[in-house]
């Protein structure tokens, strides 16, 4: 059966001498892994369309639910080549690409996640062009704005996948508090901490004290429209505080299922 969809290349792995396994983020099939025959031959029909981050219309051939359908066509909609040129941008995008690869399942369609990823790439690219053309040369890279976009992606992505940390109030009883417990993925109030055994974590701090601005900022990012996000100008400290919380939370979630599998 021939199937058509759209996809953004998240990752490619070489297979044999000249073949590739291409992992796409798609709106219709979640993570889609396809087999591309001889894409590196000079006259390959795929051209440069299999480069990471390329957004294309694709067709693939395979039985329904086949594990590795064969890619038959890919026509570039937008190459995002600028994002591969600048290492500073590319490394930031690798962060959200890896997060997405870790959480998204095959055959698990989610249009909202696809659009969030696409919008984030578009905004980073637009920002790169604007910075490059502006008279106040900032070396073509604005750390605050790209960190804001990366944090915004993480917050909304965790919400859409059901892994959002709870930062507004105690996750057990709902009363107010500002101590975030990594193993609980939540703020806990003092009396709930006394009643429960909070896990001590290997190599990770078990608790972080949150500032009021970061709690407000996080809860605002949950609801603010991504396409308008660059209108706000949070301080570098606020962005760093949020990055730290999100990264510890993500690290804990990713390590947990792996441990469970080996037991
Ligand atoms: Zn409580």
């Amino acid at each position: 059966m021939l199937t058509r969809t759209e996809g953004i290349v998240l990752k490619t792995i070489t297979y044999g001498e000249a073949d590739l396994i291409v992992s796409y983020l798609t709106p219709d099939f979640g993570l889609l892994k396809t087999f591309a025959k001889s894409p590196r031959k000079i006259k390959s029909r795929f051209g440069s369309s299999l480069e990471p981050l390329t957004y294309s219309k694709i067709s693939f051939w395979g039985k329904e639910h086949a594990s590795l359908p064969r890619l038959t066509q890919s026509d570039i909609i937008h190459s995002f080549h600028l994002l591969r040129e600048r290492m500073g941008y590319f490394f930031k995008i690798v962060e959200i690409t890896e997060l997405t690869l870790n959480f998204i399942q095959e055959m698990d369609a989610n249009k909202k996640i696809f659009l969030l990823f696409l919008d984030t790439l578009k905004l980073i690219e637009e920002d790169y062009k604007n910075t490059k053309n502006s008279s106040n040369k900032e070396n073509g890279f604005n750390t605050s704005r790209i960190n804001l976009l990366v944090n915004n992606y993480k917050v909304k992505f965790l919400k859409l996948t059901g892994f959002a940390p709870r930062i507004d109030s105690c996750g057990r009883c709902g009363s107010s508090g500002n101590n975030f417990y990594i193993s609980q993925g939540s703020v806990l109030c003092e009396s709930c901490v006394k009643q429960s055994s909070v896990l001590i974590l290997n190599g990770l701090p078990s608790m972080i004290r949150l500032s009021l601005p970061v709690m407000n900022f996080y809860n605002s990012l949950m609801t603010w429209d991504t396409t308008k996000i660059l209108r706000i100008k949070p301080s570098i400290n606020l962005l760093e505080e949020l990055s730290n919380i999100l990264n510890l939370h993500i690290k804990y979630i990713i390590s947990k299922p792996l441990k469970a599998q080996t037991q």
Side-chain angles (χ1 to χ4, degrees), residues 14-218:
T14 48
Y15 187 86
E17 283 197 2
D19 306 330
L20 275 184
I21 293 171
V22 188
S23 299
Y24 286 101
L25 178 65
T26 70
D28 307 315
F29 304 95
L31 182 70
L32 176 71
K33 289 184 185 172
T34 62
F35 175 75
K37 185 82 187 152
S38 310
R40 290 183 289 167
K41 283 188 181 161
I42 291 165
K43 281 187 180 169
S44 164
R45 71 187 113 165
F46 300 119
S48 62
S49 68
L50 305 184
E51 293 283 331
L53 306 179
T54 307
Y55 172 34
S56 297
K57 271 187 183 160
I58 58 173
S59 307
F60 58 93
W61 180 265
K63 287 184 185 140
E64 209 170 337
H65 305 303
S67 61
L68 205 58
R70 184 166 168 160
L71 188 68
T72 55
Q73 205 175 346
S74 72
D75 299 311
I76 297 176
I77 299 171
H78 196 96
S79 75
F80 287 114
H81 69 275
L82 285 176
L83 301 182
R84 291 189 297 273
E85 279 173 13
R86 292 294 304 216
M87 277 302 145
Y89 282 79
F90 194 67
F91 286 137
K92 284 287 168 188
I93 295 163
V94 166
E95 260 187 73
I96 63 171
T97 304
E98 285 186 352
L99 173 68
T100 309
L101 278 165
N102 266 305
F103 282 78
I104 295 284
Q105 306 289 319
E106 290 184 61
M107 301 304 293
D108 186 13
N110 194 323
K111 276 202 168 69
K112 285 184 177 169
I113 290 177
F114 178 80
L115 288 174
L116 175 64
F117 194 86
L118 182 60
D119 280 342
T120 303
L121 292 188
K122 282 182 183 167
L123 287 164
I124 294 174
E125 186 184 57
E126 208 175 299
D127 189 60
Y128 173 63
K129 284 183 190 163
N130 291 342
T131 318
K132 208 167 128 184
N133 297 334
S134 71
S135 51
N136 61 338
K137 294 231 167 18
E138 297 173 79
N139 303 320
F141 184 66
N142 185 294
T143 314
S144 294
R145 285 200 297 270
I146 196 162
N147 281 346
L148 172 57
L149 288 167
V150 167
N151 275 315
N152 176 68
Y153 182 84
K154 288 179 181 173
V155 167
K156 289 190 169 75
F157 178 85
L158 290 170
K159 185 183 171 190
L160 289 169
T161 50
F163 287 101
R166 180 162 175 178
I167 281 181
D168 56 345
S169 56
C170 174
R172 299 255 169 103
C173 72
S175 45
S176 61
N178 65 341
N179 291 339
F180 180 76
Y181 288 84
I182 308 281
S183 66
Q184 311 299 306
S186 174
V187 162
L188 291 181
C189 72
E190 275 179 38
S191 62
C192 286
V193 171
K194 277 178 197 155
Q195 287 164 26
S196 65
S197 53
V198 174
L199 198 64
I200 305 296
L201 304 168
N202 274 346
L204 291 177
S206 58
M207 188 270 278
I208 307 172
R209 186 151 294 166
L210 307 174
S211 72
L212 190 59
V214 89
M215 293 168 84
N216 289 336
F217 182 43
Y218 169 80

